[in-house]
Each structure stands twice: as structure tokens, then as C-alpha cells.
Amino acid sequence: SSPQKRHATLTDEQKLIKNLGEYFPFSDSELRVLYKCFSEHNTSANKTQGCPFILDLAMFAPTHSTEEEYKTHEHHLKYIFEHVLPPRFSSKLEAVAFRQLLALENNQTEGRTQQRLEAFLEAVTKCCGRRNAHSSLEIIYQCCCYEDSSSATPEPFGLIDLSYRLALTSHIIMSNDSVNEEKISSIFSAKTSALHSLAKSLEKMTVLQNQNHGGISMEIFIEWASQTMPLISAILPTFMHYLLFRDLPFSPGRQHFLFPILNDS
């Protein structure tokens, strides 16, 4: 049959996925997941009261799990978000990466579903590092300095600490490890020295570049990451993958972050 006839037999959702695939760097399977997440999020009645934004999206993602497995996974994620990730990380990520979507939602203009969908997909694209290799690092940086003013520059340890917590979160989700507060505390206490060493390395580059103004510029952070820890740019995309695409394999052409064993030596 001709391409025109095949296209005519597609459902409206299949046509939408096909069109979105021309603009956004996701597979059809990934786009179907993201469309489901967006559709559920777009229905205000489905939003979980008090639930962190990105966790809400993760729970909207379609899964092959049974209802019991889903409930266990939800409890697992909520515990990790509360005890591993920094306080308010989800709201910061929403404010930084999903800024355009928030603006459209706050505008409360009817008939802008397509605009909101495209803003949502663009935000996820950047979080997944699929526009350029540095977009995920830029988001991590902005999350560290985003409080009430975007003029603040983050401290070296804050950048390293957030990156490590995102990597650890991904590792726990992927391995489905059972964790408790004591185990998490022991992990962080064991790695404190190694994390401070990385922070000192980042701070040293700032001094060498004569840009030590009490914080780290985004340019220095990206340059340091490229030279010292190239795979750090894969941390946020890996985190997003395990939250949203947990039933899908990593694309062979995309680098994911494997959690390292950091020694204090």
C-alpha cells in the first residue's frame, strides 16, 4: 500500500506521535510515554495534591507493572525523593526546565494544549540532553542557584552534591534496592571526602581562570565537567530515563551514567 494510504489508516494519536517525532528527538515508544504523562498532567483532576511535579510525571508514565508493583514503586520513589534528593529539588527543576510550560499553564488560556505539549516536550528534551550535550549541565547548574534570584552563583560543593544525589537516585531506582534512612546516611558519610575532593577540583579551575567571585560560573562548571568528568552530563538524562522510561531500554546511541564506586583515598 502507498504511504498516503498507510498514513490515512493511522489513529489520531499515531498521527500526532508521527508528527512530534519530526521535531523532538525521541523514539515513537518514548513519545507515547511522554504524551501519556502530559495528558495526565494536563488534567488537573489527576494531579496528586502535594506531590512533587517530576514525581507526579513519573507515576503517570505507563508501565507493565501490576497494581501491587506500581504501589510499591510509588512508595519507593517517594521515599527516595524525600531522603536522597535535596529539599525542593523537584520544584526547582520545574521552575528551571519547565518554565515555559508553567507560563502557559498560569496564563489559563483555553485552546493552547498543543503549545503546552510542545513546551513540555522541549523541557524533557533538554533534561534528557538531546538538544546538546551541555543542556543537562545547564539545568543542574540553574537548579543549584535557583532560589529567589537567578543572579546567585552556586558553590562548588552544591553542584557536586546535586550531581551525586541524582546519580545515586538513578542507581537506587535502577537496582530496585531497598533503602532506609540509616543506609542513606552511611552512603553519604562514606563519600563525603571524595565529594569534597571533586568540589576542590572544580574550585581550583575557577581560581586558575581568575573567576573566583564567591561562586562558580556556568561556563567554568561545563568546562570542568568536560575535562574532568565527561559523563557527568549523562547524570540528569539517566535520572529522567529511569523516572519516565523505566520499561524501555536505553537507546544504543545514547550514553547513560553508570554509578561509580567512589573511594576516599
Side-chain angles (χ1 to χ4, degrees):
S1 60
S2 67
Q4 290 83 0
K5 287 183 178 179
R6 285 199 300 272
H7 188 73
T9 61
L10 297 176
T11 65
D12 288 344
E13 183 176 320
Q14 287 172 329
K15 290 177 184 176
L16 176 63
I17 295 299
K18 181 179 175 63
N19 290 334
L20 291 173
E22 296 178 4
Y23 297 98
F24 297 98
F26 294 102
S27 67
D28 286 357
S29 296
E30 290 171 333
L31 283 170
R32 280 192 289 272
V33 168
L34 294 175
Y35 181 63
K36 168 73 161 48
C37 290
F38 170 79
S39 299
E40 295 288 346
H41 172 74
N42 201 42
T43 306
S44 57
N46 287 333
K47 296 175 185 176
T48 309
Q49 191 67 31
C51 186
F53 167 75
I54 195 67
L55 180 55
D56 232 9
L57 293 183
M59 299 320 301
F60 290 150
T63 176
H64 301 313
S65 303
T66 64
E67 185 174 349
E68 184 178 348
E69 289 171 337
Y70 177 88
K71 290 293 183 185
T72 301
H73 182 67
E74 181 181 31
H75 176 77
H76 191 53
L77 283 183
K78 285 181 177 178
Y79 188 88
I80 295 168
F81 266 66
E82 184 177 345
H83 293 90
V84 180
L85 291 173
R88 296 182 60 240
F89 168 72
S90 182
S91 60
K92 290 180 183 180
L93 182 64
E94 182 182 16
V96 167
F98 294 82
R99 186 181 295 119
Q100 186 181 357
L101 175 64
L102 284 173
L104 289 169
E105 289 179 343
N106 292 335
N107 199 11
Q108 296 183 338
T109 303
E110 294 297 325
R112 289 194 175 184
T113 302
Q114 183 67 22
Q115 279 183 280
R116 291 196 296 271
L117 173 59
E118 290 175 1
F120 169 76
L121 291 174
E122 184 60 32
V124 178
T125 298
K126 290 178 180 177
C127 288
C128 290
R130 298 198 184 183
R131 283 291 182 229
N132 64 72
H134 295 155
S135 62
S136 60
L137 292 176
E138 291 170 0
I139 291 170
I140 287 177
Y141 181 91
Q142 290 166 350
C143 284
C144 283
C145 63
Y146 184 87
E147 290 295 342
D148 298 320
S149 169
S150 59
S151 62
T153 55
E155 294 298 319
F157 186 78
L159 291 162
I160 300 301
D161 183 60
L162 174 57
S163 300
Y164 180 77
R165 288 173 183 272
L166 287 169
L168 179 59
T169 298
S170 302
H171 174 72
I172 295 172
I173 296 172
M174 178 272 296
S175 59
N176 206 25
D177 280 349
S178 60
V179 290
N180 54 46
E181 218 167 329
E182 184 179 349
K183 185 175 181 179
I184 291 169
S185 295
S186 68
I187 290 173
F188 280 113
S189 62
K191 308 308 176 193
T192 298
S193 176
L195 296 178
H196 276 289
S197 293
L198 288 172
K200 286 180 181 178
S201 169
L202 175 54
E203 188 173 16
K204 184 177 179 181
M205 175 170 280
T206 302
V207 173
L208 290 174
Q209 297 279 359
N210 295 317
Q211 292 188 21
N212 191 11
H213 303 300
I216 303 295
S217 70
M218 185 187 295
E219 293 74 17
I220 291 294
F221 175 54
I222 291 173
E223 183 181 349
W224 174 85
S226 301
Q227 293 181 14
T228 309
M229 292 185 66
L231 287 182
I232 200 172
S233 62
I235 288 177
L236 182 58
T238 302
F239 170 80
M240 295 296 291
H241 180 94
Y242 285 127
L243 284 182
L244 302 178
F245 307 128
R246 58 184 179 273
D247 286 341
L248 299 177
F250 275 94
S251 169
R254 302 198 183 279
Q255 177 68 56
H256 64 286
F257 186 85
L258 295 174
F259 194 70
I261 303 299
L262 291 178
N263 296 316
D264 290 334
S265 57

